[in-house]
Amino acid sequence: MKVTAVVATALLSAVGQAASVPDFATNPAGNPFVEGWYADPDNEFYNGEYWVYPTYSHEYDAQTFLDAFSSPDLINWTKHPNILNTTTFSWAKRAVWAPAPIARNGKYYLYFAANDIQTNSEYGGIGVGVADRPEGPYLDPLGKPLIGKYYNGAQPIDQDVFIDDDGQAYIYYGGHGHANVARINEDMISVGTFPDGIQYKEITPENYVEGPQMFKRKGKYYLFWSEGGWTGPDYAVSYAISNSPTGPFKRLDKILQQDLAVATGSGHNGVITVPGTDIHYIVYHRHPLGATDGNDRRLCYDRLHFRDDGTIEPIVMGVQDNFKDGNMIGWTTYGGSWDTSARQLKTAVSAGAKAALNTNFTSQYFSADVAIPTQNGGDAGIIFRATNLREGVDAYRGYYLGLGTSGKIVVGRANNGWTPIKVVNAPIRTNTVYNIAVRAVGSQFDVKVTHGSDVVAAFTVTDGTFKYGANGVRAFQTKATFDNIEVRHA
């Protein structure tokens, strides 16, 4: 995000102090936060809303337009389709990538790369669109690229634009392992010159591949970039800190990378700042586990935590879902009827309907809120270390922890059949929310069921049959409501 602390405070004053500041460990309504294949997100805070501008992640010839997403709370997102299109940029034909938004002088600017040029004999590079609104339409003020050639070996792609506190604008960009910085003039559609007469200064840090992102905090300049190959699992984000917007930028650490329990290929980031606060999130794309198409990239965000010395802690890709966005993005269902319109996950009576996240945890802490509306002989709860999921009563391999209003808490394992491990008698009431949690480390499962501050049951079981797998929820012969899903490493 390009908004400085001073501007952010002014923005927050303009829109009023929010009743609930977005202060999350991760997206509480679940990552990915929007539907569809998108990548390379950048963002701004416009008119009291958070705006995210990504690449449409498909084959190059299909990348002829850009969409945007806006949210008042980082939970509920509105899609703004086709805000920029190559039909209004005569020189741009394909491979429209990595939009970079910024506003100045009452106008909205969107910088982007097009045509994926490989040499200076090809036509394309970095362009800029101008609009009267954040959602566009963005039109071409130049009729040509803003930066159309290689300088210092940097392919003209993956741009980011930053306005410093003194009003000077900079553009950071570059692919093919080289990064440049240049000044942008007050008109925001022409490249300036540094006092020494140079237009393009190379700032390439160690291990740099592409995707630079500038962020300023407490007088320090943070440069983020991506390392590794964008189609592969090792794509990641590293960073440097400098006292100057032009560097030098010495690599400090890799802070975002794949987690084989959550996702791979995590990279090409922006930074979301909650105006008037020191709350920041990294917004980025990643590959779902098991993805076989390099273009299968999804938009996510997680919390940035800073140490006292200003350095950044490694980023944890969190797994939560409270369904407050009214959807099940990232979930797969296996039988039954599922509904999130009430901002909870509800299922009708079925013979073992399941809904699962694409995770692959081994040792873990997994919790969820569960409520059963009627007295019956069924049960509802969570599944973990689950594989081979299909529609059917016990059509999966994995563990189940559930509760029933007949007065029981049950732990068992499924393997296309059912093996009970432990059943505990407990006073489970109808229309009452219980939190069920398991800490599964190796073959030991520590189970705890609570209602508010009251512990309904706590016990330990052991079983070493299944080592890893997905997390989800299940209901057997009862209606059920699920909420506040959380999984993390233990």
Side-chain angles (χ1 to χ4, degrees):
M1 186 168 182
K2 325 305 185 310
V3 178
T4 65
V6 173
V7 175
T9 301
L11 284 169
L12 188 61
S13 298
V15 300
Q17 178 67 47
S20 179
V21 172
D23 188 358
F24 315 133
T26 183
N27 180 8
N31 282 319
F33 62 86
V34 296
E35 192 70 77
W37 290 17
Y38 291 95
D40 313 332
D42 200 355
N43 57 278
E44 270 295 348
F45 188 78
Y46 291 145
N47 307 320
E49 291 195 313
Y50 303 90
W51 285 77
V52 173
Y53 297 80
T55 299
Y56 175 64
S57 186
H58 283 264
E59 61 274 10
Y60 292 3
D61 287 343
Q63 294 175 313
T64 59
F65 64 91
L66 294 171
D67 298 331
F69 298 88
S70 64
S71 173
D73 54 12
L74 296 178
I75 300 297
N76 298 283
W77 294 89
T78 299
K79 181 178 178 178
H80 305 271
N82 204 34
I83 63 167
L84 182 150
N85 195 295
T86 56
T87 58
T88 55
F89 290 78
S90 60
W91 59 272
K93 305 300 182 185
R94 63 195 290 269
V96 175
W97 294 344
I102 202 159
R104 189 168 212 173
N105 301 325
K107 295 289 186 181
Y108 298 90
Y109 298 88
L110 196 62
Y111 300 78
F112 63 96
N115 300 351
D116 184 32
I117 67 170
Q118 300 295 305
T119 68
N120 281 342
S121 64
E122 299 174 61
Y123 194 45
I126 296 171
V128 57
V130 185
D132 294 322
R133 301 178 301 173
E135 65 270 33
Y138 286 86
L139 304 178
D140 188 354
L142 297 176
K144 62 180 181 180
L146 173 66
I147 302 173
K149 293 184 179 299
Y150 280 66
Y151 298 96
N152 305 317
Q155 184 188 23
I157 63 167
D158 287 2
Q159 53 292 316
D160 178 53
V161 177
F162 164 77
I163 299 176
D164 206 351
D165 297 337
D166 63 2
Q168 178 62 59
Y170 298 89
I171 186 168
Y172 301 81
Y173 75 92
H176 291 176
H178 293 272
N180 285 340
V181 61
R183 286 187 169 191
I184 297 294
N185 291 324
E186 177 75 20
D187 63 9
M188 301 301 288
I189 58 171
S190 61
V191 177
T193 302
F194 289 100
D196 59 7
I198 295 175
Q199 272 198 306
Y200 301 96
K201 292 191 173 186
E202 183 166 9
I203 55 168
T204 307
E206 179 188 3
N207 292 356
Y208 175 91
V209 173
E210 60 190 18
Q213 172 74 200
M214 173 53 63
F215 163 68
K216 189 175 184 180
R217 176 182 181 268
K218 297 186 177 181
K220 300 293 185 180
Y221 298 85
Y222 291 74
L223 183 71
F224 300 83
W225 66 89
S226 294
E227 302 176 355
W230 66 270
T231 62
D234 297 328
Y235 204 53
V237 174
S238 292
Y239 81 108
I241 304 175
S242 178
N243 292 319
S244 165
T246 58
F249 295 104
K250 182 179 179 181
R251 184 182 186 275
L252 293 178
D253 198 7
K254 181 186 292 184
I255 54 169
L256 177 64
Q257 58 187 313
Q258 66 173 325
D259 179 341
L260 294 177
V262 180
T264 66
S266 308
H268 202 129
N269 72 290
V271 178
I272 296 172
T273 296
V274 178
T277 76
D278 195 28
I279 298 171
H280 310 277
Y281 301 93
I282 185 166
V283 57
Y284 61 98
H285 72 245
R286 68 193 194 196
H287 298 297
L289 295 179
T292 57
D293 188 330
N295 285 311
D296 187 354
R297 297 177 288 179
R298 313 297 177 94
L299 298 183
C300 304
Y301 71 82
D302 283 290
R303 186 67 170 261
L304 276 173
H305 290 286
F306 294 84
R307 303 183 182 96
D308 291 343
D309 64 359
T311 58
I312 301 173
E313 296 179 2
I315 292 156
V316 175
M317 293 193 289
V319 179
Q320 295 184 14
D321 204 337
N322 62 13
F323 307 100
K324 295 300 182 286
D325 54 3
N327 64 53
M328 291 180 70
I329 296 173
W331 290 81
T332 301
T333 59
Y334 303 88
S337 175
W338 302 85
D339 177 48
T340 56
S341 60
R343 307 300 170 112
Q344 296 173 311
L345 179 58
K346 296 187 176 184
T347 186
V349 177
S350 68
K354 300 177 288 293
L357 292 164
N358 184 9
T359 53
N360 195 37
F361 281 87
T362 53
S363 294
Q364 62 188 276
Y365 173 84
F366 180 20
S367 70
D369 289 346
V370 183
I372 298 174
T374 57
Q375 188 80 28
N376 55 56
D379 50 73
I382 58 177
I383 57 174
F384 57 101
R385 294 186 184 172
T387 59
N388 302 106
L389 287 104
R390 302 181 310 282
E391 185 173 343
V393 178
D394 297 311
Y396 66 103
R397 301 181 74 246
Y399 296 107
Y400 171 69
L401 164 61
L403 49 82
T405 51
S406 61
K408 64 181 180 182
I409 299 169
V410 58
V411 181
R413 66 175 183 266
N415 189 359
N416 297 311
W418 176 249
T419 301
I421 298 173
K422 189 178 183 68
V423 178
V424 174
N425 294 326
I428 305 300
R429 301 189 299 272
T430 60
N431 290 310
T432 302
V433 176
Y434 295 91
N435 181 263
I436 59 176
V438 59
R439 184 179 185 271
V441 178
S443 61
Q444 179 173 312
F445 307 157
D446 298 320
V447 174
K448 191 174 186 179
V449 178
T450 58
H451 170 57
S453 59
D454 296 329
V455 177
V456 178
F459 56 90
T460 296
V461 300
T462 59
D463 190 277
T465 306
F466 304 118
K467 308 301 183 184
Y468 57 84
N471 300 86
V473 297
R474 176 181 181 268
F476 175 68
Q477 295 182 345
T478 184
K479 295 180 180 179
T481 299
F482 302 95
D483 205 350
N484 296 318
I485 308 293
E486 182 179 8
V487 194
R488 61 178 185 263
H489 290 282

